[in-house]
Amino acid sequence: MKRRNLLKLCTAAGLGFASPVGERYLLKAEEDTSESPPYEGPYYIVINASGGWDTTYMMDPKGVNEINRLYQQDDILTQGNIRYAPNAKHTTAGMSNEDFFGKYANELLVFNGLDYSVNNHSPCSRYMATGKLDSLEYPTFAALVAACKGSETPLAFLTFGQYSATGNLVPLSRVPYLSSLKRLANADGVDGSQRTFYSDDFVRDRIDAALIEQRAAQVNSPRLPRQQRAENMLYAAQFNSKALNRITPYIPKTQSKGRLPSQVDIALASFKAGVCVSANLSIGQFDSHANNDVDQMKLIPEFLAGIDYLATKADELHLRDKLVIVIQSEMGRTPTYNKGNGKDHWSVGSVMFMGAGIRGNRVIGETDDKQFLVPINPGTLATDESLGIRVRPEHIHAALREFAGISNHSFSRKFPLDIPAGEKLEKFWG
């Protein structure tokens, strides 16, 4: 019973890591206690540069009007159709723009000139994550797609920070360390050990058989709702633990160095085992109100190196062709410096996408020489200052829902985005 107790306690208390038990798990527990089939993709990862990145040092370069102090207009580089800021000579660790865009430009879809509408962290984070500014009820895209495509999987929605609301559609799971994942995957082992178990094989088999017999005897007997739910939670924990054991072969032996790589290892192992649909990854400290250039030149290369690590590891695990990646931040930085050589909050920014089904080497939208967005025609995606629309997060989320094939799912209809007629972004993904 130790395995069941462990998973129940982790779910109830969130101590170190969590394995969710939701209503659909409980319904499954009413039916049987067999192992759940693996989820086979596509897999979705949202990567957050928390705090507000400076897009003029990445995919929306500006060498005029003293918007930046590290390069001039003539220094701006191009890879295919993507223009980007040069930063190799300012990069001491991580991955430079030159290396990143040189390697991934053909896979990247860049959108410049996104209207965040506000410039405070909390509402911006919520807006960018959910596509809804004025509601605390809406789920993030990662949670919504997990609920629509595989909420019965044990770790359907993994999150490592940033805004992570679920809309009560799917439980969220937090697994902060590889050691936590190991203990979760091997709940019968002492401290997650694959060699030392709390009980012998025959004892665990007897426990399983006894639980099945007990379950069969109780199915048709009258029970109080609280008792019935408690019993279902017990069986759901058993049901999940068998599926979670599939993660074991894919857990790296050592924890990767770096904030994003350590999150990537956990997410990819869970994807490979078929127990996870989506993951919300995040690193912070981008809020560079002082010493903007110094801070951004440390953080952007770290961030890009983490994306490169994700793509490389996904290739090694043969997951790359099933992986969809959203790369975002909740705001941009102002086109002017403050007295502390920093940049403050700016409600115009960019977002990037790459992965299965996304045609890369493309840039949609733009900002002008003063870093104000230029409206676009939603039908042609061309800039149109007179008749175009200001693209906001709800437009992006509507496109993401359509891309994932969940626009008409009952869960999506429960949380409508209310895009006005004629504002749908046509052929956004290519």
Side-chain angles (χ1 to χ4, degrees):
M1 296 293 288
K2 291 181 181 291
R3 173 178 62 188
R4 287 77 178 179
N5 290 337
L6 171 66
L7 291 172
K8 285 170 62 182
L9 287 171
C10 289
T11 301
L15 298 176
F17 57 90
S19 175
V21 178
E23 291 298 328
R24 292 178 68 175
Y25 296 98
L26 303 187
L27 292 174
K28 182 69 178 177
E30 290 281 2
E31 300 169 6
D32 60 66
T33 56
S34 60
E35 181 181 337
S36 64
Y39 173 77
E40 297 182 346
Y43 308 100
Y44 300 85
I45 283 190
V46 179
I47 311 179
N48 300 280
S50 181
W53 57 13
D54 189 339
T55 56
T56 67
Y57 286 142
M58 296 180 70
M59 74 299 279
D60 190 18
K62 303 292 177 188
V64 294
N65 298 324
E66 298 183 348
I67 291 177
N68 86 84
R69 296 172 176 173
L70 297 183
Y71 64 88
Q72 301 298 318
Q73 186 73 10
D74 291 341
D75 298 327
I76 293 173
L77 300 173
T78 301
Q79 183 69 40
N81 294 317
I82 298 177
R83 299 170 71 249
Y84 63 92
N87 73 349
K89 64 182 181 181
H90 304 288
T91 300
T92 57
M95 191 174 197
S96 69
N97 287 345
E98 286 87 335
D99 288 340
F100 179 79
F101 288 101
K103 188 173 182 179
Y104 295 109
N106 284 336
E107 301 178 50
L108 284 168
L109 167 59
V110 174
F111 184 86
N112 289 324
L114 181 63
D115 180 8
Y116 298 113
S117 300
V118 292
N119 65 357
N120 290 326
H121 290 294
S122 181
C124 277
S125 295
R126 180 174 65 249
Y127 198 13
M128 197 60 198
T130 69
K132 191 70 170 178
L133 176 60
D134 57 354
S135 175
L136 297 175
E137 298 178 355
Y138 274 55
T140 67
F141 169 73
L144 178 62
V145 76
C148 292
K149 288 183 172 288
S151 64
E152 71 279 359
T153 56
L155 302 177
F157 170 44
L158 272 172
T159 182
F160 296 87
Q162 195 63 353
Y163 191 80
S164 302
T166 66
N168 290 324
L169 299 179
V170 64
L172 65 82
S173 301
R174 297 185 186 275
V175 185
Y177 308 109
L178 280 181
S179 57
S180 305
L181 187 65
K182 184 178 178 182
R183 290 195 298 272
L184 191 60
N186 298 281
D188 280 321
V190 177
D191 241 1
S193 171
Q194 295 176 254
R195 296 182 179 181
T196 307
F197 298 94
Y198 289 110
S199 56
D200 293 327
D201 289 344
F202 82 92
V203 174
R204 295 196 297 276
D205 292 341
R206 289 290 299 274
I207 291 172
D208 288 343
L211 285 171
I212 292 172
E213 286 182 21
Q214 184 185 47
R215 182 64 171 173
Q218 292 174 340
V219 165
N220 296 319
S221 61
R223 289 165 291 165
L224 293 172
R226 181 178 296 181
Q227 179 186 0
Q228 184 176 2
R229 180 175 177 82
E231 291 171 357
N232 287 346
M233 289 183 68
L234 173 65
Y235 278 86
Q238 177 194 27
F239 175 77
N240 286 340
S241 69
K242 293 179 179 179
L244 288 168
N245 191 251
R246 295 197 300 258
I247 301 175
T248 302
Y250 309 113
I251 299 176
K253 294 181 179 179
T254 57
Q255 184 96 21
S256 295
K257 295 181 180 179
R259 293 183 290 174
L260 276 180
S262 62
Q263 298 172 32
V264 166
D265 284 342
I266 294 168
L268 290 183
S270 302
F271 289 159
K272 187 66 177 179
V275 299
C276 184
V277 177
S278 67
N280 190 46
L281 279 53
S282 180
I283 63 170
Q285 300 175 319
F286 280 85
D287 197 20
S288 49
H289 289 283
N291 299 315
N292 178 81
D293 296 351
V294 173
D295 288 351
Q296 295 286 333
M297 286 304 99
K298 289 179 180 177
L299 292 164
I300 289 173
E302 178 190 0
F303 191 71
L304 297 182
I307 300 169
D308 178 56
Y309 181 85
L310 167 63
T312 302
K313 292 293 290 186
D315 265 333
E316 293 174 4
L317 291 170
H318 305 289
L319 293 173
R320 186 82 178 280
D321 61 346
K322 297 181 179 181
L323 192 63
V324 176
I325 306 170
V326 181
I327 305 164
Q328 65 183 38
S329 185
E330 76 267 29
M331 63 179 67
R333 313 309 302 181
T334 53
T336 56
Y337 289 82
N338 59 32
K339 294 180 179 180
N341 295 318
K343 290 186 178 184
D344 300 316
H345 300 171
W346 190 242
S347 61
V348 176
S350 303
V351 59
M352 298 192 293
F353 310 89
M354 61 187 292
I358 298 172
R359 184 160 65 86
N361 192 25
R362 298 167 63 224
V363 179
I364 300 172
E366 66 179 60
T367 59
D368 62 20
D369 286 347
K370 295 183 179 179
Q371 210 177 329
F372 288 95
L373 71 86
V374 180
I376 69 168
N377 182 312
T380 65
L381 303 182
T383 56
D384 187 338
E385 294 190 39
S386 58
L387 299 176
I389 66 168
R390 298 175 69 88
V391 175
R392 298 179 299 275
E394 61 261 35
H395 296 96
I396 300 296
H397 276 261
L400 279 169
R401 290 184 182 188
E402 183 175 5
F403 176 74
I406 62 171
S407 293
N408 295 317
H409 194 284
S410 60
F411 290 160
S412 296
R413 292 198 301 270
K414 184 179 179 181
F415 298 98
L417 294 172
D418 301 322
I419 302 296
E423 290 195 6
K424 177 182 176 182
L425 301 177
E426 301 289 345
K427 299 181 180 178
F428 188 78
W429 308 105

